[in-house]
């Protein structure tokens, strides 16, 4: 795992977008796993800027989002399809038919997970999975006690997640209590993982995920099993990490990062 601490949120966001853009330039047919949430809005704004100003080309890219609420029509402003259209897909040259999210309105809830898994497999698997982290340590909506081998399925959301995300819903109680989410096993199958974590409010949970034991109580800790995971943090999110000096030293001395420094 690589842990990169940037001085502020904007530079952490920009570095994350730069890593994604670099991967896309090297392989225009990238299949990205994408994430939603407030943290990612800046990443998508930066990718849109690179599309407009630097001709970053998404025409052959494919995407699979981590998760989608169950029972929200795609037109609902809180569906993750709406989020992705609003923040990214409507502003770049990606083919909408190449963008995938679980179908939150499917009549076949038990079958949706395996359908989504099959679609990922048919696309050749995920080349790069972008991740945030929830207050309860989730990646995707893999709430505490999710199996570390789990695959895409429907999941009951934890109280902390309902509290974190219900601010977007009016009234807050109208937030769905279930969502489809890629599993931890699905995420770990991605060839590369890039996690972005910003803000003091995430400092405790990210320290547990990176420096604590691997545990299904903090499902983000499972990325310790991945052989190509990069975690990008701002200083506020990194403030509780014990080995900050070591992470800075690795970033300064690892040639792969030369072009990003
Ligand atoms: P946030 O969500 O970016 O809105 O904090 C992250 C998450 O819950 O995974």
């Amino acid at each position: 795992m690589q842990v990169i601490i940037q001085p502020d949120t904007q530079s952490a966001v920009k570095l994350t977008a730069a890593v994604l853009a670099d991967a896309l330039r090297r392989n225009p047919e990238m299949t990205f796993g994408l994430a939603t949430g407030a943290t990612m809005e800046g990443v998508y704004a930066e990718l849109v800027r690179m599309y407009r100003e630097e001709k970053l080309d998404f025409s052959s890219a494919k995407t699979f989002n981590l998760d989608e609420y169950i029972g929200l029509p795609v037109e609902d402003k809180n569906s993750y399809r709406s989020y992705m259209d609003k923040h990214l897909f409507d502003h770049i040259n990606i083919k909408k038919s190449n963008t995938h999210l679980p179908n939150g309105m499917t009549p076949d809830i038990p079958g949706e997970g395996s359908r989504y898994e099959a679609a990922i497999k048919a696309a050749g698997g995920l080349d790069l999975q972008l991740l945030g982290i929830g207050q309860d340590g989730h990646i995707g909506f893999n709430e505490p006690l999710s199996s570390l081998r789990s695959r895409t399925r429907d999941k009951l959301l934890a109280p902390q997640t309902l509290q974190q995300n219900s601010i977007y819903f009016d009234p807050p109680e109208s937030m769905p209590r279930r969502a489809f989410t890629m599993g931890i096993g699905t995420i770990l199958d991605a060839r590369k993982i890039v996690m972005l974590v910003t803000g003091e409010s995430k400092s405790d949970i990210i320290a547990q995920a990176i420096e604590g034991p691997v545990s299904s109580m903090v499902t983000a800790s499972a990325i310790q099993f991945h052989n190509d995971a990069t975690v990008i943090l701002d200083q506020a999110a990194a403030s509780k990490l014990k080995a900050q000096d070591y992470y800075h030293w690795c970033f300064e001395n690892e040639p792969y990062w030369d072009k990003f420094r």
Side-chain angles (χ1 to χ4, degrees):
M1 189 192 296
Q2 306 253 352
V3 180
I4 300 176
I5 304 169
Q6 293 287 283
D8 53 58
T9 308
Q10 191 53 16
S11 34
V13 163
K14 281 194 153 192
L15 179 60
T16 304
V19 171
L20 268 63
D22 178 62
L24 182 59
R25 286 195 183 99
R26 284 195 279 163
N27 174 14
E29 296 182 0
M30 282 289 289
T31 299
F32 288 106
L34 296 179
T36 49
T39 313
M40 297 305 158
E41 290 178 14
V43 175
Y44 298 141
E46 179 65 6
L47 290 174
V48 170
R49 186 197 66 72
M50 285 191 260
Y51 164 71
R52 287 183 182 148
E53 296 176 11
E54 299 169 14
K55 298 191 167 51
L56 185 62
D57 181 12
F58 291 86
S59 61
S60 302
K62 297 189 210 85
T63 67
F64 287 86
N65 266 76
L66 282 168
D67 41 23
E68 179 61 284
Y69 291 116
I70 295 178
L72 281 193
V74 288
E75 310 76 45
D76 190 295
K77 73 173 175 47
N78 281 309
S79 76
Y80 284 157
R81 164 58 75 181
S82 289
Y83 172 107
M84 291 308 304
D85 286 349
K86 177 176 166 200
H87 292 289
L88 187 64
F89 299 153
D90 283 351
H91 312 291
I92 59 174
N93 64 337
I94 199 161
K95 293 187 190 78
K96 280 281 176 82
S97 56
N98 282 344
T99 66
H100 306 270
L101 290 90
N103 176 5
M105 295 300 285
T106 180
D108 180 18
I109 290 178
E112 180 61 11
S114 41
R115 187 201 65 79
Y116 202 62
E117 291 279 335
I120 293 171
K121 195 168 171 202
L126 302 171
D127 293 310
L128 187 158
Q129 177 64 55
L130 179 63
L131 295 175
I133 187 172
Q135 299 289 359
D136 65 355
H138 69 205
I139 45 178
F141 275 133
N142 291 286
E143 304 292 32
L145 292 182
S146 290
S147 159
L148 298 183
R149 300 182 65 177
S150 51
R151 312 301 305 188
T152 308
R153 70 223 181 278
D154 75 298
K155 192 76 191 146
L156 176 66
L157 302 177
Q160 221 173 341
T161 301
L162 293 167
Q163 193 180 10
Q164 184 186 328
N165 287 6
S166 61
I167 52 165
Y168 300 111
F169 289 81
D170 185 21
E173 307 77 57
S174 66
M175 178 179 166
R177 292 176 140 239
R178 298 191 81 89
F180 289 115
T181 180
M182 282 187 206
I184 300 295
T186 321
I187 292 167
L188 292 181
D189 282 349
R191 288 182 266 279
K192 185 179 183 71
I193 284 177
V194 177
M195 177 183 273
L196 171 65
V197 187
T198 59
E200 208 276 328
S201 66
K202 301 279 177 69
S203 58
D204 274 320
I205 196 67
I206 194 59
Q208 287 181 55
I210 293 175
E211 294 181 338
V214 173
S215 163
S216 65
M217 284 304 288
V218 180
T219 59
S221 65
I223 69 166
Q224 293 179 36
F225 283 126
H226 199 274
N227 60 8
D228 187 359
T230 297
V231 183
I232 300 173
L233 309 107
D234 63 4
Q235 184 54 50
S239 57
K240 309 245 168 66
L241 294 174
K242 293 193 190 76
Q244 291 179 48
D245 290 347
Y246 175 58
Y247 308 141
H248 283 300
W249 185 89
C250 292
F251 182 57
E252 290 308 321
N253 289 285
E254 187 56 69
Y256 172 80
W257 295 107
D258 285 352
K259 63 177 177 287
F260 296 102
R261 280 195 285 271

